[in-house]
Amino acid sequence: MSIADDTQLLQVMSRFGLSQDALLGVGGEACVFALDRARVVRVLHPEATRPSVERRAQLLDELQRSAGEVPFAIPRVLEITEAHGRLVTIEPRLAGRPLSQVLAEAAGAERDHLVARFLDCSTRLQALRVRRGWYGDLCDPAPIRTRSHRVYLERRASKSLARAGSAFAGVDPAALAAALPEPDRPSFVHLDLYPGNVLVEGREVSAVVDFGGVAILGDARLEPLSAVSYLTSYITRCATDRDRGLAREWLQERGLDAMFAPAERWIAARWSFARDDVLLHRWCRLVLLGHHDPA
């Protein structure tokens, strides 16, 4: 649905004096508009619930306690309100442009530098601390939480694959989980760290956005492994084979390359339910089944 067809959204825009020119981005959770130079308005999609919005705000408050440990900004919620049947948050406006936009324009050594900064960012996020005694979902409305990371991986993959329907009926969630190691302790994992959720200013990462629905307490190594997985044109439209090659070399230098294939398979299972995103669904089929032809 376009903005012009969303009556509630148009009413919210009128309420806050927003034009379509103020639109900064549309994600899986919200449409984001510039309210002024210092603030943005996040208009949540119709299926959002107040408890889920409040859980995200609480998580961001908790992450602010360790935000000084990372060299880039993260969001926080200034206000939660409701307008014309839609939940709305007011948040600080973070500096920078989405890396996905910048990569669409960048080439050569400058592009390689930006890809490297994106990958480095994926290892810095583990400095954001969330203290819990379990592995599992942080903001999901029906969270899975367990004492074992592998048990969490299996149950989370099983839940997504069940929602995906018959296309992935032969995929074994227990095997996906068993292929990954058990970490020493749970760490914060954004798990949606792709170039559209990373802002850059100049040659450096200035902010990471879109915390919330996907974030987990899991193995910190899943962050860089998922970031590399998302450097595919099915997810990051402007990603190239060179970007992917540089990213795999980056994993090798850090001793993570052996985990890449099993991690990518689990990540594909995690997103397998997202049938409304045609390219993402094709990628899931390619990774899990070896093809993306219609079932």
Side-chain angles (χ1 to χ4, degrees):
M1 178 186 292
S2 70
I3 289 178
D5 297 325
D6 189 335
T7 302
Q8 282 187 332
L9 180 58
L10 291 172
Q11 290 173 328
V12 175
M13 290 170 61
S14 177
R15 157 74 174 78
F16 286 95
L18 303 171
S19 69
Q20 290 201 31
D21 290 341
L23 181 67
L24 297 176
V26 180
E29 295 180 355
C31 295
V32 183
F33 297 87
L35 180 59
D36 52 39
R37 291 185 177 182
R39 297 173 298 167
V40 299
V41 175
R42 293 180 81 250
V43 184
L44 281 297
H45 296 324
E47 63 273 15
T49 65
R50 181 169 283 273
S52 67
V53 175
E54 290 175 346
R55 279 192 294 270
R56 175 181 175 270
Q58 290 163 3
L59 173 63
L60 290 172
D61 278 346
E62 186 171 358
L63 292 174
Q64 286 296 325
R65 300 171 194 165
S66 52
E69 301 298 316
V70 296
F72 41 78
I74 64 172
R76 60 190 176 94
V77 175
L78 302 174
E79 180 184 349
I80 300 174
T81 188
E82 190 168 349
H84 301 286
R86 297 288 274 273
L87 288 159
V88 177
T89 62
I90 310 297
E91 305 183 10
R93 186 172 182 177
L94 304 180
R97 295 174 61 206
L99 177 60
S100 54
Q101 293 181 11
V102 178
L103 285 179
E105 305 163 1
E110 183 66 18
R111 184 187 187 92
D112 293 350
H113 174 85
L114 290 168
V115 170
R117 285 293 179 265
F118 164 65
L119 296 170
D120 290 342
C121 164
S122 74
T123 65
R124 301 298 296 269
L125 278 168
Q126 63 186 279
L128 297 174
R129 293 185 294 276
V130 180
R131 305 297 189 191
R132 304 287 191 278
W134 39 259
Y135 294 94
D137 305 316
L138 284 165
C139 295
D140 193 283
I144 298 170
R145 294 169 180 171
T146 73
R147 295 289 181 178
S148 162
H149 188 243
R150 279 180 172 157
V151 171
Y152 167 73
L153 294 177
E154 178 180 351
R155 291 177 60 188
R156 178 69 256 189
S158 180
K159 182 176 180 179
S160 291
L161 290 165
R163 290 177 60 193
S166 61
F168 301 101
V171 178
D172 181 0
L176 294 177
L180 288 165
E182 189 77 19
D184 294 333
R185 60 181 178 82
S187 298
F188 173 78
V189 183
H190 184 287
L191 203 59
D192 199 12
L193 192 74
Y194 84 108
N197 285 336
V198 174
L199 305 184
V200 295
E201 193 170 38
R203 305 179 79 239
E204 302 298 329
V205 171
S206 56
V208 173
V209 300
D210 212 12
F211 289 69
V214 183
I216 66 169
L217 277 177
D219 186 337
R221 293 170 291 190
L222 276 179
E223 200 80 272
L225 291 164
S226 62
V228 174
S229 292
Y230 299 148
L231 279 176
T232 168
S233 58
Y234 291 96
I235 298 171
T236 303
R237 306 298 186 246
C238 62
T240 66
D241 289 343
R242 177 174 174 79
D243 298 336
R244 184 85 161 180
L246 289 172
R248 292 297 297 272
E249 290 176 6
W250 183 90
L251 288 178
Q252 289 174 351
E253 291 169 359
R254 287 154 183 80
L256 294 173
D257 197 54
M259 288 180 64
F260 178 70
E264 186 173 53
R265 286 180 58 77
W266 181 83
I267 292 161
R270 170 66 179 80
W271 290 109
S272 61
F273 67 91
R275 289 176 290 179
D276 56 332
D277 187 327
V278 174
L279 286 179
L280 174 59
H281 193 63
R282 287 179 179 174
W283 176 77
C284 293
R285 291 179 62 83
L286 183 64
V287 172
L288 291 170
L289 306 176
H291 62 85
H292 58 244
D293 298 325

